[in-house]
Amino acid sequence: MAEHSFPHLRADTRTVAFLRSFMRCYLAGAAFNSRGLQNIGLMYAMLPGLTAIHEDPKELKTALKRYARHYQSHPFWTPCMVGILLNVETTISAGHFPPRMLAKVKDTTSYTLSAIGDSVFAGSTLIFWALATICLLMTGFPILAFAVGLIFFLGLQVFRAYTFVCGVKQGFRFLERLRRWDLINWGTKVKYANAALLLWLWTLIWPRPYDWWEFAVGLTALMLFGRYVRTGLLSRVLAVAVFVGLTEFFPLLENLARNAFGL
């Protein structure tokens, strides 16, 4: 009876340990430091899972040292990264993966996920949520704005949990599925939607009454600033400062132009 129940207990213990590692992913950035960046947070998240995988204290200590070095990635991808690493540690414990290869593969994966996270989440989805919320609030739909935020928040938690489970089950093989998702191109499509939302926001905040040509001039200026910022010829801070300054002095410039041409 005991022989049949012991493996089941071991399985439940590992499952709970992995669940604890997932929950700790929310605190991975709390110990951010200038030397290893997120390495302490990664070790903290990995510790319950590593304890369940490596029963030998020496092996556990060696495994922890593998995560003491520099680590940096987008926080939304941390559960996925932790899940993949727990899968790899399981294969290392079984003798099917050389530990010396982990550092290089881990760095490559973390940097790749970081770039995708910056493009899809920080550079696209979060901006979409912010612009949509502002526009809905300004048009008198606070409940709808709250619902949009709630949907995005819950969707993010589902995304974290799903990628963590897939990482634990599939390891680095899950990266092939991520490649098929084509998230970089999806980020580009979201940015087009952000441009439409920004245009909507402009129509809400532009001083009234206004002529169509004034709006066209402002849109053309924004497109030019965006192009020069993207090519690196103009810094973002300077572009914003100049653009805001032009919007403040635009009425004065308009009056000067009208008086000069007798309009």
Side-chain angles (χ1 to χ4, degrees), residues 164-262:
F164 175 79
V165 172
C166 290
V168 170
K169 291 183 177 180
Q170 303 177 24
F172 286 116
R173 292 176 299 167
F174 180 56
L175 298 178
E176 178 62 25
R177 182 185 298 183
L178 289 179
R179 187 185 66 83
R180 293 197 298 268
W181 288 1
D182 198 17
L183 293 178
I184 292 294
N185 288 333
W186 273 106
T188 302
K189 295 177 182 178
V190 175
K191 289 177 181 178
Y192 286 128
N194 291 342
L197 287 174
L198 182 61
L199 186 61
W200 182 20
L201 178 61
W202 269 30
T203 62
L204 295 175
I205 65 177
W206 198 276
R208 287 172 170 75
Y210 62 84
D211 296 324
W212 67 269
W213 63 269
E214 295 177 340
F215 194 83
V217 169
L219 181 60
T220 303
L222 184 62
M223 293 174 62
L224 290 175
F225 278 117
R227 176 177 177 81
Y228 288 128
V229 168
R230 182 177 181 180
T231 56
L233 298 178
L234 189 64
S235 68
R236 296 181 181 181
V237 176
L238 181 60
V240 172
V242 173
F243 186 79
V244 171
L246 289 177
T247 58
E248 290 293 330
F249 289 102
F250 183 79
L252 177 61
L253 297 175
E254 181 183 0
N255 290 331
L256 291 176
R258 289 179 181 275
N259 294 332
F261 295 98

Side-chain angles (χ1 to χ4, degrees), residues 1-11:
M1 180 68 177
E3 293 181 356
H4 292 285
S5 60
F6 183 70
H8 179 69
L9 179 61
R10 285 281 304 278

Side-chain angles (χ1 to χ4, degrees), residues 56-257:
D56 187 352
K58 292 184 179 180
E59 293 182 0
L60 175 60
K61 185 177 180 179
T62 302
L64 282 173
K65 288 182 178 180
R66 288 194 281 267
Y67 304 98
R69 60 194 303 270
H70 174 275
Y71 169 78
Q72 175 71 357
S73 189
H74 195 280
F76 290 177
W77 285 111
T78 299
C80 177
M81 194 69 194
V82 170
I84 291 175
L85 293 175
L86 289 176
N87 176 278
V88 174
E89 286 293 338
T90 303
T91 59
I92 290 177
S93 177
H96 299 154
F97 190 91
R100 64 180 180 275
M101 293 182 57
L102 178 60
K104 183 176 181 179
V105 177
K106 177 175 72 69
D107 291 343
T108 303
T109 304
S110 63
Y111 295 149
T112 302
L113 293 179
S114 180
I116 296 175
D118 290 339
S119 175
V120 177
F121 297 112
S124 303
T125 308
L126 288 177
I127 296 176
F128 178 87
W129 164 75
L131 289 174
T133 301
I134 294 172
C135 292
L136 290 174
L137 290 175
M138 294 189 66
T139 51
F141 296 98
I143 297 178
L144 183 57
F146 175 79
V148 170
L150 183 62
I151 291 173
F152 273 101
F153 176 77
L154 295 178
L156 175 60
Q157 311 318 311
V158 172
F159 175 82
R160 285 173 176 265
Y162 176 76
T163 54
F164 175 79
V165 172
C166 290
V168 170
K169 291 183 177 180
Q170 303 177 24
F172 286 116
R173 292 176 299 167
F174 180 56
L175 298 178
E176 178 62 25
R177 182 185 298 183
L178 289 179
R179 187 185 66 83
R180 293 197 298 268
W181 288 1
D182 198 17
L183 293 178
I184 292 294
N185 288 333
W186 273 106
T188 302
K189 295 177 182 178
V190 175
K191 289 177 181 178
Y192 286 128
N194 291 342
L197 287 174
L198 182 61
L199 186 61
W200 182 20
L201 178 61
W202 269 30
T203 62
L204 295 175
I205 65 177
W206 198 276
R208 287 172 170 75
Y210 62 84
D211 296 324
W212 67 269
W213 63 269
E214 295 177 340
F215 194 83
V217 169
L219 181 60
T220 303
L222 184 62
M223 293 174 62
L224 290 175
F225 278 117
R227 176 177 177 81
Y228 288 128
V229 168
R230 182 177 181 180
T231 56
L233 298 178
L234 189 64
S235 68
R236 296 181 181 181
V237 176
L238 181 60
V240 172
V242 173
F243 186 79
V244 171
L246 289 177
T247 58
E248 290 293 330
F249 289 102
F250 183 79
L252 177 61
L253 297 175
E254 181 183 0
N255 290 331
L256 291 176

